[in-house]
Amino acid sequence: MSFYETLGVDKNASLEAIKQSYHKLALQHHPDRTFNANESKDDNKNEPFLQIQEAYEILSDAHKKKQYDVQIKQQQIANNSSISYHVKLTECELIDTEKDDSAKVVSNVYEYP
């Protein structure tokens, strides 16, 4: 399960949306709220809360989030998963132009940041 799924947010969610989801889930799954006096404290019962904390720690930090997104993308590529994005050409950066022998532009190569 991805950190986005853990927090129930979209990959493009704002920091505010990530914070709101984290606070809601942290309160809901906090060990002090879910502890039953008739049961012994078990590390497995803390697992959802710890996963929520870890997801928030990564997704709330822009640098860590970017690294995580790259890691996820690399895993998808390694698993031969198909990735499809719909972007506007204006959102891309021209990185190369291919020309034929008469200097006529044959194709342009764009990169999405």
Side-chain angles (χ1 to χ4, degrees):
M1 178 182 285
S2 77
F3 289 151
Y4 295 103
E5 292 169 325
T6 298
L7 293 181
V9 296
D10 184 69
K11 185 177 185 241
N12 299 319
S14 67
L15 179 57
E16 187 60 32
I18 291 170
K19 282 181 185 179
Q20 287 176 349
S21 182
Y22 165 73
H23 287 294
K24 178 183 172 187
L25 292 169
L27 284 173
Q28 183 180 354
H29 294 282
H30 195 280
D32 291 342
R33 288 182 166 238
T34 59
F35 177 69
N36 184 340
N38 296 328
E39 299 175 358
S40 64
K41 283 197 173 187
D42 186 2
D43 288 340
N44 291 336
K45 292 194 180 264
N46 294 339
E47 191 65 29
F49 180 72
L50 295 175
Q51 289 174 349
I52 292 163
Q53 278 188 306
E54 182 182 18
Y56 179 71
E57 180 183 329
I58 299 299
L59 299 183
S60 64
D61 181 296
H63 180 71
K64 290 179 183 179
K65 181 179 185 289
K66 186 173 184 177
Q67 288 179 325
Y68 176 72
D69 290 342
V70 168
Q71 179 185 2
I72 293 295
K73 190 173 183 178
Q74 288 173 343
Q75 286 174 350
Q76 288 174 334
I77 291 169
N79 292 335
N80 293 326
S81 297
S82 173
I83 301 172
S84 176
Y85 293 101
H86 296 274
V87 297
K88 296 177 183 173
L89 198 53
T90 56
E91 297 173 347
C92 299
E93 178 182 341
L94 178 64
I95 60 171
D96 193 19
T97 299
E98 189 176 315
K99 297 180 180 182
D100 65 9
D101 295 334
S102 64
K104 181 179 175 185
V105 174
V106 177
S107 67
N108 290 322
V109 179
Y110 292 88
E111 180 178 70
Y112 185 71

